[in-house]
Amino acid sequence: MKLIEPKKTFEIEPRSKAGNSSRGKIGTGRETLRLRSKGPATVEEVPSETKAKAIEKVDDLLELYMGIRDIDLATTMFEAGKDKGNPDEFALALDQTLGDFAFPDEFVFDVWGAIGDAKRGGL
């Protein structure tokens, strides 16, 4: 014996308030969705071109001195130094934020130079 399931019917109706679902949610277009292997996905603002170039320079310095490429680490280093007034303040901020890395002084000074170049470039 074969069972026959009753057919389900759905009524399709036009959306009410069409087009309002995204109103108020439209941003500047300068955001990106960041998917992480651990933790939730986040929406982050895309850095300005000047900031992106500075972060890229810091990443290049990481490769030159440490042999690694890590854009997240480069971004963290940039953020730690963007509001500092001199290399000593920057070095202290790096020690507080990333003290486990024990970066060489020459590297810290070169990173400070890259951040300073970005500041003068209009950051």
Side-chain angles (χ1 to χ4, degrees):
M1 184 162 135
K2 193 174 191 183
L3 293 176
I4 300 175
E5 291 185 30
K7 289 186 180 180
K8 294 180 183 179
T9 59
F10 298 98
E11 291 185 32
I12 299 175
E13 298 178 9
R15 279 194 285 175
S16 60
K17 300 179 187 176
N20 288 338
S21 62
S22 64
R23 207 167 266 181
K25 295 180 185 178
I26 297 174
T28 62
R30 306 235 357 119
E31 295 177 338
T32 185
L33 179 62
R34 183 91 150 169
L35 302 175
R36 302 190 186 278
S37 60
K38 294 181 182 177
T42 58
V43 175
E44 296 177 359
E45 189 171 326
V46 175
S48 68
E49 187 175 330
T50 304
K51 181 178 175 180
K53 285 182 181 180
I55 291 170
E56 185 178 333
K57 284 183 184 179
V58 173
D59 193 37
D60 290 343
L61 290 168
L62 279 168
E63 183 181 27
L64 180 66
Y65 282 91
M66 309 291 170
I68 61 170
R69 282 212 170 265
D70 187 333
I71 200 71
D72 290 333
L73 178 57
T75 302
T76 301
M77 294 178 80
F78 175 82
E79 292 296 328
K82 72 178 182 182
D83 60 347
K84 302 302 179 251
N86 60 56
D88 292 331
E89 288 179 9
F90 175 58
L92 287 173
L94 276 185
D95 283 343
Q96 290 173 350
T97 308
L98 302 166
D100 292 341
F101 284 93
F103 296 115
D105 291 341
E106 184 179 351
F107 170 72
V108 171
F109 190 75
D110 285 349
V111 171
W112 171 252
I115 293 170
D117 290 346
K119 286 181 181 180
R120 287 185 292 282
L123 227 182

